């Protein structure tokens, strides 16, 4: 069983920052690909940013240069620092955790989401 838990959403004005956090179940000898996605009403879910098990960071085109990711609390976590927020960043933000490894059960799970609302 893999649990994915997000926190840190909320409402902010244009230009403001928010910090989102996510943690997934930790297993011994497992690797993790952690990522953030978002979905606005009437739109498809899109990739925001992620950290692969080897530490590689990737960002969606719409957020590159404004958002950063980190793993301050371990490989089974991911934080998303959102700066210079825009109204078009308003969406439900989801954390995705993929757990894998030679001695590890494989999981690919999503959290329930945390709402980010940016007002102009």
């Amino acid at each position: 069983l893999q649990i994915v838990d997000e926190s840190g959403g909320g409402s902010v004005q244009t230009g403001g920052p928010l910090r989102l956090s996510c943690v997934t179940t930790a297993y011994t000898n497992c690797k993790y690909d952690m990522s953030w996605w978002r979905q606005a009403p009437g739109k498809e879910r899109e990739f925001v940013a992620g950290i692969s098990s080897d530490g590689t960071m990737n960002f969606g085109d719409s957020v590159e240069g404004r958002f950063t990711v980190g793993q301050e609390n371990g490989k089974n976590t991911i934080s998303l620092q959102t700066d210079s927020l825009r109204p078009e960043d308003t969406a439900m933000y989801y954390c995705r955790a993929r757990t894998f490894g030679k001695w590890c059960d494989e999981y690919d799970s999503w959290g329930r989401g945390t709402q980010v609302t940016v007002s102009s």
Side-chain angles (χ1 to χ4, degrees), residues 37-40 44-46 48 62-63 67 89 91-93:
W37 297 66
R38 68 186 182 186
Q39 188 167 20
E44 293 186 355
R45 191 170 294 190
E46 67 170 348
V48 175
S62 61
V63 307
F67 292 7
D89 294 316
M92 185 70 78
Y93 283 68

Side-chain angles (χ1 to χ4, degrees), residues 21-78:
S21 298
C22 172
V23 59
T24 190
T25 311
Y27 293 101
T28 304
N29 297 324
C30 287
K31 299 180 180 180
Y32 304 90
D33 288 341
M34 303 292 292
S35 58
W36 287 99
W37 297 66
R38 68 186 182 186
Q39 188 167 20
K43 295 187 176 181
E44 293 186 355
R45 191 170 294 190
E46 67 170 348
F47 174 78
V48 175
I51 304 178
S52 300
S53 60
D54 65 357
T56 302
M57 299 180 185
N58 291 288
F59 298 90
D61 291 342
S62 61
V63 307
E64 190 151 19
R66 298 189 297 125
F67 292 7
T68 57
V69 290
Q71 293 185 301
E72 299 84 0
N73 297 310
K75 295 291 188 181
N76 62 317
T77 71
I78 185 170

Side-chain angles (χ1 to χ4, degrees), residues 86-105:
R86 306 165 181 168
E88 53 264 39
D89 294 316
T90 296
M92 185 70 78
Y93 283 68
Y94 296 91
C95 180
R96 182 180 185 183
R98 193 172 76 88
T99 304
F100 63 99
K102 186 176 181 180
W103 307 108
C104 189
D105 290 336

